[in-house]
Amino acid sequence: MTTLFALAALSLAPNPSTGTAESPTALNTRFSFTASIPAVPAGAKVVDFWIPIPRDDHWQRVTNLKVNSSLPWKITEETKFGNRMIHVRGHRSSKPVDVKFSVDVHRRRVHILNGEDTPEFATSYQIERHLKADRLVPVGGRYAKMAGDLSVGKSDPLEKMRSFFNFAVDNMQYDYKKESPKRGMGDVAFVCDYKKGNCTDLHSYLISMARNEAIPSYLEFGLAVNWDLPPASPVPTEGKVSGYHCWEWFYIYGRGWIPLDAATARQYHDKNNPEMRAAMFGSLPLYRASVAVSHGRDITLVPAQKGEPLNYFNYPYAEVDGKKVDTKWDVEYKILSVED
C-alpha cells in the first residue's frame, strides 16, 4: 500500500478520470518548524510565545512531535475551536527566543462529493459556532441580501454553496501581485468592494454568504508542499514551505462537512482549466492542503494573550510584558512516503 520514495521527486499530476487534483491518496510528510522572537526588548519581565501545531482530525494523523526550545514550554489547547499550540514563557530575559519542532503528518486526500469518502458530521455546538459572525465576517445587512439574491430558486443548500462558489470564482480576482492594501485580512466588507484578494479574502467572503443562508462554514489554515497549477514538473520530496494556504469547510445537514478551495479554483480559471476549477468544489488537493494547522477566527490563545483575539492563528504570535512583538518562522518539509 505504501511506496517509499527512492526518486528525487514525486509526481502529483491531475487525474482526469476522477477529477481529483492528483493520483496519490495520502502523503506522509515531516514538517520541521523554526520559530523565533529575534529581538526581545531590554528589561523584559515576561516573554510569551505561542506557536500553532497541527492536531489529529478526520483527515490527518500527527505523530512524532519533537520540540527544542531555549525557554520552558508546554502544549496547550483552546476550547473554542480546538487549536493546539506550543506555549513558551520566559522571565526576565532579553535574549532572542528560538523554538524548533518537527511533526510527522499522515494526510489523506479530501475528495467527498463523488462518494469516495464519508464526511464528518457536526455537533450542535459546532453548528451554532460556525453560523455566527466573526469580527471581519459579517452576517446580515447587504451580505444577507447578496446571499439571498444568489439563492433565488434554490432550496438545496449544496446548490446554494455551488452558486456562491461559482460567483466568487467568476467575480473575485486572485491578487497575484499583492496589490490589495488589506490582502490576507479576510475583511469581507473590503473584499466585497475591492473584488480582489488571496485565499483568506475569497474564502471569508464565501463564509459570510454561507452563514447568511444558515449554512455553517469556517476557514481552515494549513501548509502546501507545492504551489504549481497543476505541477508542471515533479514535486521535490523535500524543500521549504513558502507560506500558508487556507480553504473553507461548509456543513450540509445529513451530508456532513464538505470542503472547497475557491482561491485555487480562481487560479485554475485564470489558467483556462475548467475541469480542475470545478474539482475544487468538494476536494482539497494534497499538494496544496498537505497539512491542516488551525481553523477559526477571533482566537483567544491559552494562556490568554493580553492583546485582542487573533484574527486567525496561522503564524506564531508573541508578547513581551503584554505587548505584541515581531516573530519569524521558517518551515521545511520532507515527503517520507506516498500511498497510491
Side-chain angles (χ1 to χ4, degrees):
M1 179 176 68
T2 300
T3 303
L4 292 178
F5 285 98
L7 303 175
L10 165 69
S11 176
L12 293 176
N15 185 347
S17 65
T18 64
T20 60
E22 73 271 73
S23 54
T25 61
L27 290 179
N28 294 293
T29 310
R30 177 165 297 155
F31 292 93
S32 299
F33 297 75
T34 301
S36 65
I37 308 174
V40 178
K45 296 178 180 179
V46 180
V47 177
D48 283 300
F49 197 15
W50 297 264
I51 308 161
I53 57 175
R55 64 182 179 91
D56 290 345
D57 63 24
H58 186 73
W59 303 103
Q60 67 185 30
R61 185 174 70 253
V62 180
T63 59
N64 297 329
L65 172 64
K66 298 178 181 178
V67 182
N68 186 353
S69 172
S70 60
L71 292 174
W73 63 275
K74 63 181 179 180
I75 303 294
T76 63
E77 182 175 320
E78 52 88 29
T79 57
K80 184 178 180 181
F81 301 108
N83 292 313
R84 290 204 309 163
M85 64 205 78
I86 297 171
H87 174 245
V88 176
R89 174 167 286 175
H91 297 275
R92 299 190 180 280
S93 174
S94 58
K95 295 180 180 179
V97 179
D98 294 291
V99 179
K100 295 183 179 181
F101 73 95
S102 63
V103 291
D104 294 346
V105 179
H106 176 272
R107 176 78 175 179
R108 294 192 294 125
R109 181 180 64 202
V110 183
H111 191 58
I112 289 176
L113 289 181
N114 71 344
E116 182 176 319
D117 211 325
T118 302
E120 289 184 286
F121 288 92
T123 65
S124 58
Y125 171 69
Q126 289 173 322
I127 291 171
E128 180 182 358
R129 182 180 63 204
H130 295 308
L131 284 173
K132 295 179 179 178
D134 298 316
R135 182 169 57 89
L136 295 178
V137 182
V139 173
R142 67 166 174 152
Y143 312 101
K145 184 179 185 306
M146 291 165 55
D149 289 344
L150 288 171
S151 298
V152 171
K154 299 176 179 66
S155 58
D156 184 351
L158 186 63
E159 292 310 306
K160 291 183 181 182
M161 286 303 303
R162 198 184 300 273
S163 176
F164 301 157
F165 172 85
N166 286 328
F167 182 83
V169 174
D170 287 336
N171 293 281
M172 298 290 176
Q173 299 179 49
Y174 192 84
D175 190 7
Y176 297 102
K177 297 181 180 180
K178 302 182 180 181
E179 297 170 326
S180 171
K182 291 190 175 184
R183 186 180 190 270
M185 289 183 63
D187 185 337
V188 173
F190 176 81
V191 173
C192 279
D193 296 329
Y194 194 73
K195 299 187 184 305
K196 182 189 293 187
N198 71 352
C199 55
T200 312
D201 302 315
L202 270 65
H203 292 127
S204 296
Y205 172 82
L206 276 169
I207 289 168
S208 177
M209 301 278 277
R211 291 176 180 175
N212 274 290
E213 284 295 307
I215 301 172
S217 186
Y218 68 86
L219 192 62
E220 185 167 62
F221 292 89
L223 302 174
V225 299
N226 190 68
W227 288 95
D228 290 343
L229 289 174
S233 59
V235 177
T237 56
E238 55 186 272
K240 282 196 172 185
V241 174
S242 59
Y244 78 87
H245 186 48
C246 67
W247 46 90
E248 176 183 349
W249 289 90
F250 63 94
Y251 188 75
I252 302 296
Y253 294 89
R255 292 179 176 175
W257 289 104
I258 298 171
L260 63 81
D261 187 344
T264 298
R266 175 66 203 204
Q267 291 172 278
Y268 277 122
H269 173 87
D270 293 338
K271 295 289 186 180
N272 195 28
N273 190 333
E275 180 181 8
M276 290 306 300
R277 165 188 157 147
M280 295 302 100
F281 187 85
S283 297
L284 297 177
L286 271 174
Y287 62 90
R288 283 219 161 182
S290 310
V291 57
V293 177
S294 66
H295 70 280
R297 307 283 292 268
D298 303 337
I299 295 171
T300 299
L301 304 172
V302 177
Q305 71 272 31
K306 300 297 183 184
E308 64 182 15
L310 301 188
N311 189 17
Y312 37 79
F313 186 39
N314 58 334
Y315 291 126
Y317 176 80
E319 292 180 345
V320 175
D321 297 333
K323 295 182 179 180
K324 180 182 176 181
V325 294
D326 291 336
T327 65
K328 290 186 177 180
W329 79 306
D330 183 81
V331 185
E332 296 181 348
Y333 74 89
K334 182 177 182 180
I335 299 174
L336 304 176
S337 65
V338 61
E339 297 174 14
D340 295 321

